Amino acid sequence: ILVSVSNRHASATPNIPTITGNSFTWQQVGTVHYDTSGSQRRITLFRSMGSSITTGAINIDFAGQSQTEVRWVVDQFSGVDTSGTHGSGAVVQSVTNSDTSNSNNNLTVTLGSFTNASNATYGSFSSSADNPTVGSGFTLLGSAGTWNDTLTILSEWKNSNDTSVDYSQTQNFQLGGIAVEIKSFDLTPTPTSTPTLTLTPSPTGVVSSPTPTPTGVVNPNRPDKTVLVWEENRNLQDVIG
């Protein structure tokens, strides 16, 4: 599960939030303070994973600092790597980027080379502009904030490799974004033993070599590429702690 949180403070640097809830341990993936003067804004991404999730509230806490606005999006994926702790195996790399100039209406977060062609791409962006739009070839997952709002957030994904995770809007404002490479299951088949080769003489004296057959069986239901599926967890409720 990935949770994106965007928060705004009226006059100071917004605190980095923390998350609790659902019997999970939530780990910060990345954060960026993208609006650094006046009424200031930040976006932060968290991850978690577990087999014993409990229904209930996700609590977002700012360590006692009052926020003018908060927006959040919760995204759940299946078909991902389950190794590591709290979803660490599912996040191969993460990168942040921001534009504090207030003079552009688009932002690209550039990931490094992907480690596997089966992995997927995720991005989360925040600003205060109208009509936020996902990048080229990306699918919208979730968004919060309304027309002419002062804080918006949007999440997107693509079920393939894309090192240029982009976003655009209709107006020029400060922008912040976080991009992630999501790791799929390791689907490399591993034989259970090494094939052997036996040479059998034919009546004409010619030695024939039958095609070796591995004794390991490859599961036909494990294709060479996983389809990562985004799922909305309707049991999760989001509240500001």
Side-chain angles (χ1 to χ4, degrees), residues 84-126:
T85 57
H86 315 305
S88 62
V91 176
V92 178
Q93 60 170 315
S94 62
V95 178
T96 66
N97 193 20
S98 64
D99 187 337
T100 63
S101 67
N102 199 28
S103 60
N104 291 297
N105 68 344
N106 62 85
L107 182 70
T108 297
V109 184
T110 303
L111 290 168
S113 298
F114 276 60
T115 58
N116 192 297
S118 297
N119 293 347
T121 312
Y122 175 90
S124 182
F125 294 87
S126 181

Side-chain angles (χ1 to χ4, degrees), residues 168-219:
S168 64
Q169 55 197 27
T170 57
Q171 297 169 301
N172 294 343
F173 280 105
Q174 296 91 345
L175 308 101
I178 304 171
V180 171
E181 176 186 354
I182 300 177
K183 186 179 181 181
S184 68
F185 281 125
D186 182 5
L187 299 179
T188 304
T190 303
T192 57
S193 62
T194 302
T196 58
L197 178 63
T198 302
L199 300 180
T200 304
S202 68
T204 58
V206 179
V207 175
S208 61
S209 55
T211 302
T213 302
T215 58
V217 178
V218 177
N219 189 336

Side-chain angles (χ1 to χ4, degrees), residues 25-26 29 36 52 55 95 97 113 132 134 147 191 207 214 240:
T25 299
W26 297 91
V29 176
T36 57
S52 58
T55 60
V95 178
N97 193 20
S113 298
V134 299
W147 176 267
V207 175
I240 303 173

Side-chain angles (χ1 to χ4, degrees), residues 12 15 39 83 103 106 115 189 195 221 232:
N15 281 356
S39 180
S83 65
S103 60
N106 62 85
T115 58
N221 295 319
E232 180 181 0

